[in-house]
Every structure is written in C-alpha cells, then in structure tokens.
C-alpha cells in the first residue's frame, strides 16, 4: 500500500459534523452500546424518546425497546437517530434505513463527543489531517512490515479524519478477534505472567485462560469500578489471580473516577468517586503480557511502565480509540523499546475496537514481517 497517497486523499476532506439540536433524540440498537448510550444520556440529562431494535425486546433505563417499523414516516422527519451499533458497517445501517426520512442520522459516539466528551470521548475526530500528517506517516512507516496492520490503520485514520468507513476487502475487519484471538498473537507458554489493566468483567482474563489451557504463572488484574470488579471476582475461582481495585496510571496519586458506567467507567475530573492509582513500574512485577484498556488513560499508563517493559520485554496490547493519543502518541512509544514490532488490528466499525500490539522481535518469529 502507498499510505502517502491514501493520506493525501484524506487531506482534501475537512470533517466537521454538526448536530441538529432541535430534533427528537432516539437510539437505534439495544445491545451493550445501547445500554451505555442510555447511561451516558441520563448522566448528561439528555432525554431519549425512543429506543429501536429489530431483534431485542424489553427496556433500557425505563424506555421500552420498539421495532423501528412502528415509527411513522412523518414522525421520522423530526428525529435525530443515534446509531448504537458498531459491529456492522455504518453505511450498511444507513442504507437499511433509507425508507425513513430522518432529520439526521449520526453514530452515537460522534454525538457523545460533540455533546459530552467529558463523559465519553471515544467519538473523537480530526477536523484537518494536515495538523497530524507527519506523525501519521511515521506510524505508517512503523507498520509497513505488516500489510494487514497498515491497511487496518488506514481504515482507522479514514474514519477519524474524514468520517468515512473505508474498509479494504483483502484485509476485512477482524470481528471478535481482539487481544488473544488476534492473528498476530504469538504462541503462549505455561510461564506467562499476565497483567490486565482495566479488566472490567474479566472477559480478556477468560480469553487468556482458554488460550493457555489454564496453565500460566500469574495473573494480576486491575479494575477500579467496584461493580465490575465484584462481577469479575465471582466469575473466577483461580487462586492465582491477584485482584486490585486501584486505577493504573503514570504515578501513585488520588484521582476522581467516574464509576457505574460499565465498560466506560474511567478516570474523570468530574467523577463522583476518588480512587488510588499506581504505575506499573511501582508494582515491581515481571509481566510477559500487558493489556491496557483504561478508557483514555492508555498513554499515561505506558509512560509509567517504561522500566518494566525494558526489563521484561512483554507483549503489549493497548486500545487506540479512546482518545487522540491513539492516532500517533501511543504507537510512537514503541520506538523507545529496542527490537519491538508494532501491529494494529481494527475489530469493529466507526473507529471502534482499534488495538495496537507491541511485540518483541524474539516473540514475533513466524509472523509476517515483510
């Protein structure tokens, strides 16, 4: 791929989405993202009139889930429809709704970023790629050794810089193949020490246990959201798992934390809870694998892990889509570590579930590095 030509194409497109504030707000999609959307809207005191889904029934936060076919064509003209689905191409969803003349259709994450980024910032975007052109080129160069990673990164940049979903047919979205299910994940042995920063309900711990067939050296899991931590603890009977309710950050301190938001709970200056934080370097541990999924604080966590990474050379998996740091600051850190390879996987649509993998060369043997 000639990434430079791709980026030059993006350069001619200015991205500046605008919200139709007079519209009635409705959600389309009642899955986990629909629940998160309702929690965020309630926290921001924004009223949602309807929640539509063609399969799910029941209610979310007191609003009944309806089929969109019940909506009259006349009523749709006054609705701002927020798409709370990211497992299907955005344009496919919009085309499926072509018979309805909605006043406006927008991805929920974009709306959230424009209206209450202090609660949820995943929908960040770049109005003009020119301001970051050099940095994006540098990241692209780091990914040149792996065609899938480079194409996936270009798809991610296309969305974040132009709002266009550009997917390359030869390198499709790796749906449900994040973390240990990624095709670039090296073979794991029985002596792995796994550090999970942002364990939520423990889904990735379960994935790790399945991958190593229950044979490993240690697991240390950090989750400051009390409800999520309790759910994760009850899920596993593994005595070797060390649970920690602190937040992982670049130093030991006290910070405000926004809890009760499920997988979107995060460090937040306006959060209602104060928590203790710790850096990875302060833990004095020797992980062979580190996962960092901390809702926007990923770069800070990596800043506080330099000595641990240099000493132990772990596989690093870090989320890219929670803040603009994921565009170039996070991947640029791989150059601090000797003989590391950078990979990138894109596992959902609309700029979601984008993950950088930093793998020491000695563990990447057999992977495509041409």
């Amino acid at each position: 791929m000639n990434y430079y030509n791709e980026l030059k194409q993006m350069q001619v497109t200015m991205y500046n989405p605008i919200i139709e504030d007079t519209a009635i707000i409705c959600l389309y999609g009642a899955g986990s993202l629909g629940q998160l959307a309702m929690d965020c809207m309630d926290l921001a005191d924004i009223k949602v009139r309807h929640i539509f889904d063609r399969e799910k029934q029941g209610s979310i936060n007191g609003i009944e889930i309806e089929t969109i076919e019940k909506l009259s064509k006349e009523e749709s003209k006054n609705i701002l429809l927020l798409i709370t689905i990211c497992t299907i191409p955005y344009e496919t969803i919009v085309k499926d709704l072509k018979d309805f003349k909605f006043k406006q259709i927008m991805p929920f994450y974009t709306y959230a970023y424009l209206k209450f980024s202090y609660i949820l910032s995943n929908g960040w975007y770049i109005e003009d790629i020119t301001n970051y052109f050099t940095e994006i080129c540098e990241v692209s160069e780091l990914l040149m050794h792996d065609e899938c990673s480079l194409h996936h990164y270009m798809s991610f940049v296309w969305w974040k810089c132009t709002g266009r979903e550009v997917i390359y047919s030869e390198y499709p979205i790796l749906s449900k193949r994040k973390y240990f299910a990624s095709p670039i994940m090296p073979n794991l042995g029985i002596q792995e020490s796994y550090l999970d920063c942002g364990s939520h309900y423990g889904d990735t711990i379960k994935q790790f246990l399945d991958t190593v067939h229950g044979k490993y050296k240690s697991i240390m899991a950090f989750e400051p959201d009390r409800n999520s931590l309790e759910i994760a603890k009850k899920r596993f009977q593994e005595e070797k798992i060390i649970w920690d309710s602190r937040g992982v950050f670049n130093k030991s301190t006290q910070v405000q934390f926004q809890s009760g938001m499920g997988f979107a709970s995060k460090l937040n200056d306006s959060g209602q809870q104060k928590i203790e934080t710790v850096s990875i370097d302060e833990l004095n541990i020797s992980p062979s694998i580190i996962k960092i999924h901390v809702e926007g604080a990923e770069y800070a966590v990596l800043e506080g892990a330099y000595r641990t990474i240099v000493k132990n050379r772990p596989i690093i998996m870090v989320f890219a889509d929670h803040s603009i740091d994921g565009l170039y600051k996070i991947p640029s850190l791989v150059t601090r570590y000797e003989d590391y390879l950078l990979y990138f996987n894109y596992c959902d649509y609309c700029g979601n579930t984008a993950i950088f993998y930093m793998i020491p060369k000695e563990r990447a043997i057999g992977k495509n590095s041409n």
Side-chain angles (χ1 to χ4, degrees):
M1 164 188 275
N2 188 326
Y3 68 79
Y4 187 82
N5 287 345
E6 292 283 309
L7 297 177
K8 293 301 286 185
Q9 290 181 54
M10 300 179 207
Q11 206 170 24
V12 301
T13 305
M14 295 286 289
Y15 186 45
N16 187 22
I18 298 173
I19 294 173
E20 177 52 74
D21 279 322
T22 61
I24 297 167
I25 299 172
C26 300
L27 305 183
Y28 185 64
S32 58
L33 181 53
Q35 177 66 66
L36 172 63
M38 277 304 305
D39 290 342
C40 290
M41 300 294 262
D42 286 348
L43 193 60
D45 198 26
I46 297 175
K47 181 176 177 58
V48 173
R49 180 75 62 84
H50 298 285
I51 302 173
F52 301 112
D53 196 292
R54 286 197 160 112
E55 297 179 1
K56 292 186 178 293
Q57 299 178 339
S59 64
I60 298 178
N61 295 17
I63 298 181
E64 183 180 357
I65 300 169
E66 309 170 69
T67 60
I68 200 163
E69 283 72 23
K70 290 184 178 180
L71 184 68
S72 71
K73 301 296 189 293
E74 190 61 32
E75 188 179 5
S76 68
K77 295 178 182 178
N78 298 313
I79 286 176
L80 164 55
L81 190 67
L82 302 179
I83 306 301
T84 51
I85 302 170
C86 58
T87 55
I88 300 171
Y90 180 71
E91 286 304 319
T92 299
I93 297 171
V94 172
K95 287 179 182 178
D96 188 50
L97 298 170
K98 65 180 183 303
D99 291 338
F100 297 90
K101 306 301 180 184
F102 291 105
K103 193 168 191 178
Q104 189 175 14
I105 300 177
M106 176 179 287
F108 165 72
Y109 278 131
T110 303
Y111 176 88
Y113 182 70
L114 292 172
K115 296 293 286 187
F116 43 81
S117 61
Y118 63 96
I119 296 175
L120 192 67
S121 60
N122 298 41
W124 60 271
Y125 60 89
I126 306 300
E127 292 184 19
D128 186 355
I129 193 176
T130 303
N131 298 327
Y132 304 94
F133 197 89
T134 299
E135 291 86 352
I136 294 172
C137 285
E138 290 171 352
V139 175
S140 301
E141 279 294 318
L142 292 170
L143 295 169
M144 280 286 287
H145 67 96
D146 185 72
E147 282 293 318
C148 180
S149 293
L150 182 58
H151 281 78
H152 277 206
Y153 180 63
M154 283 298 107
S155 293
F156 181 63
V157 176
W158 267 110
W159 179 266
K160 289 299 185 181
C161 294
T162 72
R164 287 181 55 192
E165 193 80 84
V166 176
I167 305 298
Y168 304 94
S169 58
E170 64 270 42
Y171 298 104
I173 293 290
L174 290 169
S175 179
K176 299 180 181 180
R177 297 194 66 186
K178 64 182 180 180
Y179 296 137
F180 296 103
S182 168
I184 59 89
M185 180 56 58
N187 294 328
L188 304 182
I190 63 174
Q191 291 299 310
E192 304 292 352
S193 294
Y194 174 45
L195 174 58
D196 192 331
C197 304
S199 58
H200 190 229
Y201 295 160
D203 289 349
T204 313
I205 293 174
K206 175 63 164 60
Q207 194 186 47
F208 170 72
L209 291 170
D210 290 344
T211 302
V212 298
H213 307 291
K215 298 178 180 180
Y216 62 96
K217 185 176 182 180
S218 67
I219 297 174
M220 192 171 193
F222 285 81
E223 178 50 63
D225 184 90
R226 294 168 184 167
N227 182 61
S228 296
L229 181 61
E230 287 307 309
I231 291 173
K233 283 183 175 180
K234 291 177 182 178
R235 186 175 177 182
F236 300 97
Q237 302 300 317
E238 298 281 332
E239 294 182 358
K240 288 193 290 185
I241 299 179
I242 298 173
W243 301 97
D244 201 307
S245 62
R246 289 175 292 180
V248 187
F249 198 44
N250 57 6
K251 61 182 178 180
S252 290
T253 186
Q254 287 190 335
V255 298
Q256 296 302 124
F257 184 75
Q258 176 182 297
S259 62
M261 299 294 290
F263 59 82
S265 296
K266 65 177 183 177
L267 305 184
N268 190 332
D269 290 342
S270 60
Q272 77 279 38
Q273 179 185 345
K274 182 170 285 188
I275 65 166
E276 301 286 337
T277 65
V278 65
S279 74
I280 291 176
D281 282 343
E282 291 169 317
L283 296 172
N284 195 27
I285 57 175
S286 302
S288 63
I289 306 167
I290 300 174
K291 184 209 85 177
I292 306 172
H293 184 169
V294 289
E295 301 301 315
E298 286 81 5
Y299 185 77
V301 173
L302 281 169
E303 282 186 314
Y306 176 75
R307 295 194 307 275
T308 301
I309 293 170
V310 169
K311 179 181 177 182
N312 298 285
R313 299 185 62 74
I315 296 166
I316 305 164
M317 309 180 291
V318 54
F319 245 56
D321 53 88
H322 291 136
S323 76
I324 195 173
D325 290 344
L327 191 66
Y328 67 93
K329 289 181 69 175
I330 287 172
S332 69
L333 288 178
V334 76
T335 60
R336 300 174 68 188
Y337 319 125
E338 185 176 356
D339 290 332
Y340 260 77
L341 292 173
L342 183 70
Y343 296 85
F344 182 84
N345 282 174
Y346 195 29
C347 302
D348 275 322
Y349 297 88
C350 296
N352 292 288
T353 317
I355 305 170
F356 281 107
Y357 298 80
M358 302 176 190
I359 302 179
K361 284 186 178 179
E362 66 271 18
R363 298 209 66 177
I365 294 174
K367 300 300 174 185
N368 177 20
S369 58
N370 296 318

